[in-house]
């Protein structure tokens, strides 16, 4: 194994006598909190991923993420559980630009969206058999670039509490599909409920609104916490954001929020980190009068979590 100091520290924690490891939630929907993850759950999650991707002792895994976060921890656990070779490099936006001698195929590579363009620029990317992309959704443009590159890549669905992903969506497709050992249903709000035969939680109710197509597949619509009720019309900001993204420069920070409205109760606004002249008219043309943000608010101090997710303010005065 080729390891960083951070990876060695996690492996030391993994091998101690405690039945759990300490992790932190992302903080994208509230203050990050410390949680304890059972090692038995992490092993079960690692085995599900290994089964999905066919990982064996002949496989090589690559890790360009920090083991401080669940995605980094789980890549190490997958290697340990399946007996894979593992290469860990310091996190950067230019992953996979140097390869140790003898690495001819990388069986699984996890990245976050900010690393996608750097990976596409790597001369070694054609050695990657499968890439998983998590932490936050890819923009439509970034997803198309990955598809056009020929990479076999999947978006992940999961959270720290589920020991990383429980479902994967192949880029270019709409639906997430369950990993072995997981099934899905929805509650009265239309939010996803995860059921597991192998992890200790057995049943976990999320705040993610989905369109369920079977007990093994769903289409993600957005967070229940973020739903905006404007004149009785329930709008998922994440859907609107995916449509808006092509109008904004690459790398622009933005999100859809709301403000009080005497007429509608709430009305949509777009929050961006820099001014974009003429954007309000473009939004109305693209989205129509009912779903277009009524104003553009410039907030140069949009904050990000440690895993680069936007910290939203749902309401503005």
């Amino acid at each position: 194994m080729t390891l960083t100091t951070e990876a060695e520290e996690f492996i030391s924690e993994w091998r101690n006598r405690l039945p759990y490891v300490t992790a932190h939630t992302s903080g994208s929907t509230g203050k990050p909190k410390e949680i304890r993850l059972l090692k038995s759950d992490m092993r079960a999650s690692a085995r599900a991923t290994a089964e999905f991707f066919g990982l064996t002792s002949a496989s090589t895994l690559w890790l360009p993420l920090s083991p401080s976060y669940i995605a980094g921890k789980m890549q190490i656990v997958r290697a340990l559980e399946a007996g894979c070779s593992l290469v860990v490099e310091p996190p950067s936006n230019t992953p996979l630009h140097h390869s140790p001698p003898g690495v001819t195929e990388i069986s699984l590579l996890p990245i976050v969206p900010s690393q996608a363009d750097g990976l596409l620029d790597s001369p070694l990317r054609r050695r990657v058999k499968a890439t998983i992309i998590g932490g936050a959704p890819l923009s439509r443009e970034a997803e198309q670039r990955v598809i056009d590159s020929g990479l076999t890549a999947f978006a992940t669905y999961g959270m720290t509490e589920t020991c990383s992903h429980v479902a994967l969506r192949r880029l270019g497709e709409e639906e997430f599909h369950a990993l072995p050992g997981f099934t899905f249903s929805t509650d009265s709000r239309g939010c996803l409920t995860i059921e597991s035969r192998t992890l200790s939680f057995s049943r976990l109710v999320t705040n993610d609104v989905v369109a369920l197509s079977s007990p093994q597949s769903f289409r993600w619509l957005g967070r229940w916490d973020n739903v905006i009720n404007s004149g009785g019309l329930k709008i998922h900001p994440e859907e609107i954001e995916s449509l808006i993204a092509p109008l904004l420069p690459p790398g622009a920070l933005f999100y859809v929020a709301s403000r009080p409205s005497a007429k509608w109760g709430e009305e949509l606004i777009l929050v961006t980190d820099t001014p974009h002249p003429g954007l309000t008219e473009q939004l109305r043309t693209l989205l129509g009068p009912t779903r277009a943000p009524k104003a553009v608010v410039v907030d140069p101090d949009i904050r990000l979590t440690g895993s680069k997710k936007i910290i939203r303010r749902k309401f503005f005065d």
Side-chain angles (χ1 to χ4, degrees), residues 127-156:
R127 300 184 187 183
V128 181
K129 187 176 180 181
T131 301
I132 53 177
I133 306 173
L138 275 174
S139 69
R140 286 191 175 188
E141 292 76 13
E143 180 162 332
Q144 191 59 53
R145 287 195 296 272
V146 175
I147 294 169
D148 292 343
S149 75
L151 280 175
T152 299
F154 299 81
T156 65

Side-chain angles (χ1 to χ4, degrees), residues 55-287:
L55 304 179
T56 69
S57 58
S59 303
T60 295
L61 307 189
W62 194 284
L63 179 59
L65 303 172
S66 169
S68 295
Y69 297 100
I70 188 61
K73 296 181 193 296
M74 285 307 306
Q75 184 76 335
I76 295 173
V77 176
R78 291 171 200 135
L80 294 173
E81 285 296 298
C84 306
S85 299
L86 176 67
V87 177
V88 184
E89 66 172 322
S92 74
N93 283 333
T94 55
L96 208 65
H97 278 249
H98 302 284
S99 173
V103 177
T104 58
E105 181 182 87
I106 297 165
S107 302
L108 185 63
L109 171 73
I111 64 170
V112 294
S114 61
Q115 295 174 309
D117 284 337
L119 173 61
L120 297 184
D121 289 337
S122 168
L124 304 177
R125 64 179 171 81
R126 298 191 183 278
R127 300 184 187 183
V128 181
K129 187 176 180 181
T131 301
I132 53 177
I133 306 173
L138 275 174
S139 69
R140 286 191 175 188
E141 292 76 13
E143 180 162 332
Q144 191 59 53
R145 287 195 296 272
V146 175
I147 294 169
D148 292 343
S149 75
L151 280 175
T152 299
F154 299 81
T156 65
Y157 175 84
M159 57 208 72
T160 305
E161 294 88 339
T162 61
C163 301
S164 189
H165 51 264
V166 299
L168 296 167
R169 176 182 65 82
R170 186 158 184 163
L171 297 196
E173 300 178 357
E174 289 192 349
E175 291 191 340
F176 285 90
H177 298 278
L179 263 65
F182 298 98
T183 56
F184 307 120
S185 59
T186 54
D187 67 6
S188 60
R189 303 168 299 162
C191 289
L192 186 71
T193 297
I194 304 167
E195 296 172 357
S196 172
R197 300 193 305 269
T198 55
L199 272 66
S200 62
F201 62 73
S202 298
R203 185 173 185 269
L204 180 65
V205 179
T206 75
N207 280 329
D208 288 304
V209 181
V210 302
L212 194 71
S213 54
S214 80
Q216 286 79 37
S217 57
F218 64 87
R219 182 166 58 90
W220 184 78
L221 300 178
R223 293 280 300 177
W224 176 261
D225 323 56
N226 299 334
V227 169
I228 296 170
N229 189 333
S230 184
L233 179 64
K234 291 183 179 178
I235 299 173
H236 298 286
E238 294 89 348
E239 284 190 302
I240 303 299
E241 290 160 5
S242 69
L243 297 171
I244 289 173
L247 301 179
L248 300 176
L253 296 179
F254 70 96
Y255 63 97
V256 170
S258 68
R259 67 184 181 187
S261 166
K263 184 175 182 180
W264 305 112
E266 294 179 73
E267 63 182 16
L268 271 64
I269 61 170
L270 177 66
V271 184
T272 72
D273 59 344
T274 54
H276 303 285
L279 183 58
T280 302
E281 291 74 18
Q282 289 179 287
L283 294 174
R284 179 172 288 272
T285 300
L286 175 68
L287 299 168

Side-chain angles (χ1 to χ4, degrees), residues 31-52:
K31 184 178 180 181
K33 61 180 180 179
E34 183 176 289
I35 61 174
R36 292 177 175 179
L37 298 176
L38 291 177
K39 292 177 181 177
S40 58
D41 282 351
M42 297 174 75
R43 290 189 182 97
S45 172
R47 287 193 293 268
T49 299
E51 181 179 343
F52 185 92

